[in-house]
Amino acid sequence: AQKVTQAQTEISVVEKEDVTLDCVYETRDTTYYLFWYKQPPSGELVFLIRRNSFDEQNEISGRYSWNFQKSTSSFNFTITASQVVDSAVYFCALSERNQGGKLIFGQGTELSVKP
Amino acid sequence: KAGVTQTPRYLIKTRGQQVTLSCSPISGHRSVSWYQQTPGQGLQFLFEYFSETQRNKGNFPGRFSGRQFSNSRSEMNVSTLELGDSALYLCASSPLAGGPGEQYFGPGTRLTVT
């Protein structure tokens, strides 16, 4: 069964703090893809990153970094030196090889960054 | 390049009515997917279309249907609306089909059923 769990429903931090959003996934497929999306108050989902199951290298993009660990089925997202503009709901999602464009989303983590 | 557009942005309907939502993908994108977002169920996959063919379908009743036109524009229809159909309906387009390409989402259509 496919499943994505984001155990943190809400996180509140003060600007410039680092914050990590957790994502745990379940899949029986050996080839799969993981995503993170950001949904600001405007409602439009913004693509952040895609990672395939064969690439466990961590990735850094500016203040964003992602840690993919197949051994623990986790794909965590860290924001360094958070800013107020990072306030949004963040979704982790899973897509399996034969499922085409079907994304299985976690429930989302609402991040609030206070000045 | 223009992003994914969805019309209308807001809609209010009455139980029992039907509704049609429209999605225009990014130019050159041939795959369109639809998702329903509600506070209780979160984001749930409805269906995916590529080259006018439905390639994948989520676990929704037959009241939910869709189609794609030759220009890749897509519509989804919900018949016999129920209160529980109130949701944000998101459309996403991707240049790839059958593959996990990045999906680019539109702003959504907020449907309220009274």
Side-chain angles (χ1 to χ4, degrees), chain B residues 56-75:
Chain B
N56 211 337
K57 189 177 189 306
N59 295 325
F60 279 82
R63 299 185 297 107
F64 291 82
S65 63
R67 60 177 175 168
Q68 186 180 34
F69 302 95
S70 58
N71 62 358
S72 295
R73 190 177 69 85
S74 177
E75 289 181 347

Side-chain angles (χ1 to χ4, degrees), chain A residues 102-113:
Chain A
K102 178 181 179 180
L103 292 173
I104 304 298
F105 283 91
Q107 286 296 101
T109 296
E110 183 172 4
L111 175 64
S112 175
V113 182

Side-chain angles (χ1 to χ4, degrees), chain A residues 37 39 47 50 99 101 103, chain B residues 35 37 48 56 100 102-103:
Chain A
Y37 281 87
Q39 188 175 41
F47 168 81
R50 177 189 63 186
Q99 293 296 309
L103 292 173
Chain B
Y35 293 82
Q37 185 176 23
E48 178 194 11
N56 211 337
E102 298 108 55
Q103 292 192 34

